[in-house]
Amino acid sequence: MKISVTGRQFEITPSIREYVESRIQALVEDKALDFSSAKVVMDYQKNSFKTTLVVNCKYHVVPAEVEDFDLYKSFDACVAKVDTQLKTIREKIRSHQAPPLREVAEVEEEAVEE
């Protein structure tokens, strides 16, 4: 997966880049969606940081944007927003799938017994 980290009005240090990449890898690691890329733009405006995170996966684009006085807090809030959106997408995918035949057979047996 391609991860792009961009800083506006300030320089992205190796520690920031490492933190961002590790958090995004942890975010997409446990999901069963096919991720292609993630783009992080961190912008310094006056006394606050504005972080924009866009995660691209198969058939979905998941954006999030947060503004905070701390760079790490703004990024963590973005990751939390994206995580919530990915959980919703995953639940929708799972709810539209057919139930396992085992469960269907159990429900039919209970209906026959009643």
Side-chain angles (χ1 to χ4, degrees), residues 3-39:
I3 299 173
S4 171
V5 182
T6 307
R8 293 185 183 161
Q9 309 298 327
F10 73 102
E11 185 177 336
I12 299 293
T13 63
S15 63
I16 294 172
R17 183 176 304 279
E18 181 181 328
Y19 180 76
V20 168
E21 290 176 355
S22 67
R23 288 286 303 208
I24 291 177
Q25 287 296 334
L27 173 71
V28 300
E29 180 178 274
D30 60 346
K31 306 297 187 279
L33 301 170
D34 185 22
F35 295 97
S36 59
S37 67
K39 184 175 182 181

Side-chain angles (χ1 to χ4, degrees), residues 102-114:
R102 203 172 337 154
E103 292 178 9
V104 173
E106 290 174 1
V107 171
E108 289 177 356
E109 289 175 3
E110 290 176 4
V112 171
E113 291 175 2
E114 292 177 357

Side-chain angles (χ1 to χ4, degrees), residues 61-111:
V61 177
V62 182
E65 187 174 274
V66 174
E67 188 170 346
D68 198 347
F69 292 106
D70 184 20
L71 175 67
Y72 290 100
K73 283 183 181 179
S74 68
F75 177 70
D76 289 340
C78 265
V79 169
K81 280 186 174 184
V82 168
D83 187 36
T84 303
Q85 292 177 19
L86 290 175
K87 284 180 185 177
T88 303
I89 290 170
R90 185 67 185 138
E91 288 172 6
K92 284 183 181 180
I93 290 172
R94 291 303 254 163
S95 68
H96 290 307
Q97 292 179 349
L101 291 176
R102 203 172 337 154
E103 292 178 9
V104 173
E106 290 174 1
V107 171
E108 289 177 356
E109 289 175 3
E110 290 176 4

Side-chain angles (χ1 to χ4, degrees), residues 6-10 12 40-52 66-68 71 74:
T6 307
R8 293 185 183 161
Q9 309 298 327
F10 73 102
I12 299 293
V40 180
V41 178
M42 297 177 170
D43 190 11
Y44 181 68
Q45 300 174 349
K46 294 187 181 179
N47 293 328
S48 65
F49 290 94
K50 182 178 180 182
T51 303
T52 306
V66 174
E67 188 170 346
D68 198 347
L71 175 67
S74 68

